[in-house]
């Protein structure tokens, strides 16, 4: 190359700028010199097996990756120092980890310290070393390029006549130089940042170690102080423990009392009627009124269904237990008012009572006499005709049967409790009398003795004998025989019919219409005594057999003797009557 350059200088100035082979910028080779150009050897690609082999040759000491070549260049002192540093760091971590579970602050500081160490190790890793090596190489290149740039101004004077191709090549060289210098500066900055990181990590590690040591000292001092205090003030600790136990017992007692009081309030609400007495009695009276209207409908059957040849009645008693009704309403509505339960009363009544009527026509025959002109001057024949029977049937399903169908299991349990306790108000209904008993006096009189002089009348004696057979029999609404039971009018009609009268089966008001009215002074044993207003019906609503001395025997609940001038009966007294025989 040197000879060729000399030969060109003798002929004419060269327009090309040739520099040394060591320079970053190279000129174009002269004509005919391409054969002497140094060819670049192509790079051979590495296989995966070769790469794995190189990775296997790396050794790991502590937390740093060191190649076999790097390890061979280290002295024994350097290796021992590295081993000792790694062992010391591992021991420090283990010691700190003993206190991590008891102190969250120590654990957090330890995690920070580990992060700082990791940053420090990164600065010493192979990647950091490669950056340092590349930095040195780039710095060396930059120095050479700077030296070459200093020579170029002097050469530019002789290059005034150089061609455009040469100028373009030079411009590219200047741009490449600028990029190399910028890259070198950036690499230098990164290396400086890594040094700062490593220095910061060292400071953090030192601070964490100080925190751990200080924490241990504080915990140890507190423990020692507590032990000394416990030894010197043992009696105070015992007293404090006793007071703490007493305080816990008091708090437990208050808690138990609150539960007890809450439970007591709940139980009281479950076992007592919560509505007012006025509303309870008002609801009971409204239900009785529905029953009175039903009885009146039955009593009016012969009027509302005229033209029948016969009326047959199959009637269950119209009655209910007021305690059952009140317990049921309380279970459903709790603290109810009279107006709030009207819908429930009507619905329950319709489910308890079922009234049916139907007409049965029968073909019957009667004897017809036909006149004849010859002896015996008449003939007889059977003539068919339609005989109509009105059947009246009343079914009382029982109030409690309806209640059981309407309540769920929990409600039924409360209902039973209210029934057992009578809602805490046993005075409400004067001995559980249903409305049809009409015996509001509450007086018991099955053992009353009729005066002997009254028994001198054989007609009355026969009547009384029949009447006393049924003393103590419970009241049954609509009943008229010993088999079915009796209501007031059914009982009196039965006794009269069995004692020689023929009054049939009628109501109290029907007997009142048949009777001859007399005064109380005229009344004698065997006459009838009538009352009104005991339930909502026109005329007489109750009847009894007068036995003298202001006493009567009637179907109350049960059938018994009663004083007609008691507070209840006296205000309902209608008058006296005598049934003709």
């Amino acid at each position: 190359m040197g000879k060729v350059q000399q030969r060109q200088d003798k002929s004419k100035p060269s327009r090309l700028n040739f520099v040394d082979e060591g320079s970053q910028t190279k000129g174009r080779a002269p004509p005919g010199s391409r054969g002497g150009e140094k060819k670049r050897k192509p790079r051979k690609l590495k296989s995966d097996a070769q790469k794995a082999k190189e990775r296997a040759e790396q050794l790991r000491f502590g937390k740093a990756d060191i190649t076999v070549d790097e390890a061979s260049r280290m002295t024994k002192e350097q290796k021992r120092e590295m081993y000792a540093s790694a062992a010391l760091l591992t021991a420090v971590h283990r010691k700190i980890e003993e206190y991590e579970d008891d102190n969250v602050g120590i654990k957090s500081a330890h995690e920070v310290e580990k992060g700082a160490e990791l940053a420090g190790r990164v600065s010493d890793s192979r990647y950091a070393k490669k950056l340092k090596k590349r930095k040195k190489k780039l710095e060396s290149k930059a120095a050479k390029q700077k030296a070459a740039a200093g020579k170029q101004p002097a050469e530019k004077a002789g290059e005034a006549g150089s061609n455009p191709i040469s100028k373009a090549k030079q411009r590219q060289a200047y741009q490449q130089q600028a990029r190399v210098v910028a890259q070198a500066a950036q690499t230098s900055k990164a290396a400086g940042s890594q040094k700062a990181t490593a220095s910061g990590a060292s400071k953090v590690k030192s601070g964490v170690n100080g925190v751990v040591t200080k924490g241990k000292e504080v915990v140890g001092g507190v423990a020692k102080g507590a032990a000394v205090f416990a030894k010197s003030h043992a009696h105070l600790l015992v007293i404090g423990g006793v007071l703490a136990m007493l305080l816990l017992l008091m708090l437990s007692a208050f808690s138990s009392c609150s539960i007890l009081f809450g439970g007591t309030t709940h139980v009281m609400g479950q076992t007592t009627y919560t509505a007012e007495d006025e509303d309870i009695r008002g609801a009971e009276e409204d239900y009785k009124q529905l029953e009175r209207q039903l009885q009146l409908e039955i009593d009016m059957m012969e009027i509302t269904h005229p033209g029948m040849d016969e009326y047959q009645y199959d009637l269950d008693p119209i009655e209910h237990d007021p305690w059952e009704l009140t317990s049921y309403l309380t279970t459903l509505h709790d603290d109810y008012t009279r107006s709030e339960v009207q819908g429930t009363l009507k619905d329950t009544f319709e489910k308890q009572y079922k009234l049916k009527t139907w007409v049965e026509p029968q073909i019957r025959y009667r004897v017809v006499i036909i006149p004849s002109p010859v002896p015996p001057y008449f003939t007889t024949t059977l003539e068919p005709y339609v005989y109509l029977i009105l059947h009246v049937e009343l079914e009382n399903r029982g109030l409690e049967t309806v209640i059981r169908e309407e309540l769920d299991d929990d409600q039924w349990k409360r209902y039973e409790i209210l029934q057992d306790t009578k809602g805490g108000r046993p005075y409400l209904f004067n001995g559980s009398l249903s409305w049809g008993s009409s015996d509001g006096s509450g007086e018991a009189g099955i053992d009353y003795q009729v005066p002997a002089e009254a028994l001198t009348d054989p007609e009355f004696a026969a009547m009384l004998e029949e009447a006393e057979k049924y003393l103590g029999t419970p009241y049954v609404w609509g009943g008229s025989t010993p088999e079915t039971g009796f209501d007031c009018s059914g009982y009196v009609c039965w006794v009269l019919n069995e004692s020689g009268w023929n009054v049939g089966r009628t109501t109290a008001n029907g007997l009142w219409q048949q009777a001859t009215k007399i005064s109380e002074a005229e009344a004698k044993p065997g006459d009838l005594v009538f009352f009104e207003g005991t339930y909502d019906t026109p005329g007489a609503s109750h009847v009894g057999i007068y036995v003298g001395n202001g006493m009567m025997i009637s179907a109350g609940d049960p059938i018994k003797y009663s004083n007609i001038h008691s507070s209840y009966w006296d205000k309902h007294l209608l008058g006296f009557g005598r049934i003709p025989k």
Side-chain angles (χ1 to χ4, degrees):
M1 290 293 290
K3 292 180 180 181
V4 174
Q5 189 176 1
Q6 291 176 1
R7 188 167 52 249
Q8 289 176 348
D9 291 340
K10 291 179 181 181
S11 61
K12 60 179 180 180
S14 176
R15 296 182 180 180
L16 301 178
N17 182 25
F18 296 96
V19 296
D20 296 336
E21 292 180 0
S23 176
Q24 177 70 18
T25 306
K26 295 184 179 181
R28 188 174 60 183
S33 64
R34 291 184 181 181
E37 215 174 7
K38 186 177 180 180
K39 296 182 180 180
R40 299 181 65 180
K41 186 176 181 178
R43 294 180 61 185
K44 185 177 181 180
L45 297 177
K46 295 181 180 180
S47 64
D48 294 338
Q50 290 175 336
K51 292 179 181 179
K53 183 177 179 182
E54 289 180 359
R55 284 196 299 270
E57 291 178 353
Q58 293 180 352
L59 301 179
R60 187 171 180 83
F61 296 95
K63 297 292 182 179
D65 291 331
I66 301 175
T67 64
V68 176
D69 294 337
E70 290 173 345
S72 64
R73 289 194 297 270
M74 294 176 65
T75 64
K76 292 184 178 180
E77 288 77 8
Q78 290 175 335
K79 291 181 179 179
R80 282 196 294 269
E81 182 179 358
M82 183 177 64
Y83 296 154
S85 176
L88 178 60
L89 188 59
T90 302
V92 169
H93 284 308
R94 289 178 180 174
K95 196 66 177 175
I96 293 174
E97 288 172 355
E98 293 178 2
Y99 298 92
E100 284 184 351
D101 294 336
D102 298 330
N103 194 315
V104 177
I106 292 176
K107 184 174 182 179
S108 301
H110 190 202
E111 295 296 332
V112 174
E113 186 264 344
K114 285 182 179 179
E117 285 183 4
L118 180 61
R121 286 196 297 270
V122 170
S123 67
D124 294 331
S125 64
R126 288 182 60 205
Y127 178 73
K129 290 180 180 179
K130 287 182 180 181
L131 290 177
K132 291 179 183 179
K133 186 176 180 180
R134 182 168 179 79
K135 174 192 172 186
K136 290 180 181 180
K137 185 176 180 180
L138 292 175
E139 286 178 350
S140 176
K141 277 188 177 183
K144 290 180 182 181
Q145 290 173 355
K146 187 176 181 181
K151 297 178 182 180
Q152 287 176 0
E155 296 174 355
K156 286 182 179 180
E159 294 177 355
S162 61
N163 57 36
I165 296 176
S166 177
K167 290 182 179 180
K169 292 289 184 180
Q170 290 178 358
R171 193 180 301 109
Q172 292 178 357
Y174 294 152
Q175 292 175 354
Q176 180 68 21
Q177 291 175 8
R179 283 195 295 270
V180 169
V181 171
Q183 187 174 3
Q186 185 175 1
T187 304
S188 177
K189 184 177 179 181
S193 174
Q194 291 175 356
K195 287 183 180 180
T197 302
S199 175
S202 177
K203 291 181 181 180
V204 170
K205 179 178 180 181
S206 176
V208 168
N209 291 336
V211 170
V212 172
T213 304
K214 190 67 175 178
K216 291 180 179 179
E217 292 176 358
V218 171
V219 172
V222 171
K224 290 179 181 179
V228 172
F229 181 82
K231 290 180 180 179
S232 59
H233 299 82
H235 62 288
L236 294 179
L237 293 177
V238 172
I239 294 174
V242 172
L243 291 176
M245 290 293 293
L246 291 175
L247 180 60
L248 289 175
L249 289 174
M250 291 175 64
L251 292 175
S252 177
F254 285 135
S255 177
S256 300
C257 288
S258 65
I259 294 173
L260 177 62
F261 292 150
T264 301
T265 303
H266 179 70
V267 171
M268 287 293 290
Q270 292 289 325
T271 59
T272 60
Y273 296 147
T274 49
E276 298 293 333
D277 289 357
E278 181 180 358
D279 291 310
I280 293 174
R281 289 193 176 111
E284 169 63 18
E285 180 61 29
D286 292 337
Y287 202 80
K288 288 180 179 179
Q289 179 62 28
L290 294 174
E291 292 178 325
R292 294 178 189 129
Q293 292 174 355
L294 177 60
Q295 180 60 49
L296 181 61
E297 182 180 357
I298 295 172
D299 293 341
M300 299 293 289
M301 282 295 172
E302 298 180 13
I303 298 175
T304 57
H305 296 77
M308 298 294 109
D309 297 295
E310 184 180 347
Y311 297 86
Q312 292 185 4
Y313 296 87
D314 182 12
L315 307 175
D316 285 344
I318 300 176
E319 61 181 1
H320 74 277
D321 186 340
W323 299 106
E324 292 177 357
L325 180 64
T326 305
S327 298
Y328 176 53
L329 294 176
T330 301
T331 301
L332 285 183
H333 302 282
D334 208 11
D335 188 10
Y336 63 88
T337 63
R338 183 176 182 176
S339 60
E340 290 174 347
V341 297
Q342 294 301 310
T344 302
L345 293 176
K346 293 178 181 178
D347 183 63
T348 305
F349 181 83
E350 291 175 357
K351 293 177 180 178
Q352 180 182 353
Y353 297 105
K354 302 295 183 182
L355 178 63
K356 300 177 182 178
T357 61
W358 71 94
V359 176
E360 179 188 0
Q362 295 181 353
I363 302 299
R364 294 189 179 186
Y365 295 87
R366 57 192 172 193
V367 177
V368 177
I369 300 174
I370 302 175
S372 175
V374 296
Y377 305 109
F378 68 90
T379 60
T380 61
T381 184
L382 295 178
E383 181 183 57
Y385 69 98
V386 178
Y387 186 87
L388 299 179
I389 302 174
L390 178 66
H391 293 272
V392 181
E393 180 180 289
L394 176 66
E395 178 189 7
N396 181 355
R397 299 182 61 232
L399 179 57
E400 197 162 65
T401 301
V402 176
I403 292 172
R404 188 65 187 94
E405 293 173 350
E406 298 298 314
L407 299 181
D408 59 30
D409 291 340
D410 291 337
Q411 291 174 325
W412 179 254
K413 290 177 182 178
R414 186 185 181 192
Y415 168 82
E416 289 183 320
I417 293 172
L418 291 171
Q419 281 293 92
D420 292 339
T421 61
K422 294 192 182 300
R425 306 184 197 180
Y427 56 85
L428 281 173
F429 302 115
N430 294 326
S432 305
L433 296 176
S434 60
W435 79 269
S437 71
S438 303
D439 192 0
S441 66
E443 299 175 359
I446 61 175
D447 295 328
Y448 176 75
Q449 296 295 324
V450 176
E453 60 268 25
L455 298 176
T456 58
D457 183 357
E459 191 174 69
F460 171 71
M463 181 189 293
L464 185 63
E465 181 180 2
E466 183 65 24
E468 287 186 332
K469 289 179 183 180
Y470 312 107
L471 283 172
T473 300
Y475 179 93
V476 176
W477 180 265
S480 59
T481 66
E483 291 76 24
T484 62
F486 297 100
D487 64 8
C488 66
S489 58
Y491 173 65
V492 172
C493 289
W494 175 269
V495 172
L496 290 174
N497 290 331
E498 292 297 314
S499 303
W501 282 266
N502 186 14
V503 294
R505 172 63 173 100
T506 186
T507 62
N509 196 53
L511 292 173
W512 174 251
Q513 297 298 328
Q514 295 181 37
T516 301
K517 311 305 184 287
I518 57 176
S519 66
E520 183 175 356
E522 296 171 327
K524 65 179 183 177
D527 290 334
L528 303 184
V529 57
F530 296 90
F531 302 87
E532 63 182 355
T534 56
Y535 69 95
D536 187 15
T537 185
S541 59
H542 185 73
V543 62
I545 300 172
Y546 185 64
V547 296
N549 294 334
M551 299 295 291
M552 72 174 176
I553 184 172
S554 69
D557 191 11
I559 296 174
K560 63 180 180 179
Y561 291 100
S562 300
N563 189 335
I564 65 173
H565 293 296
S566 66
S567 59
Y568 176 79
W569 291 118
D570 190 60
K571 65 182 179 182
H572 293 288
L573 183 60
L574 176 60
F576 294 82
R578 185 170 295 157
I579 301 296
K581 196 170 184 179

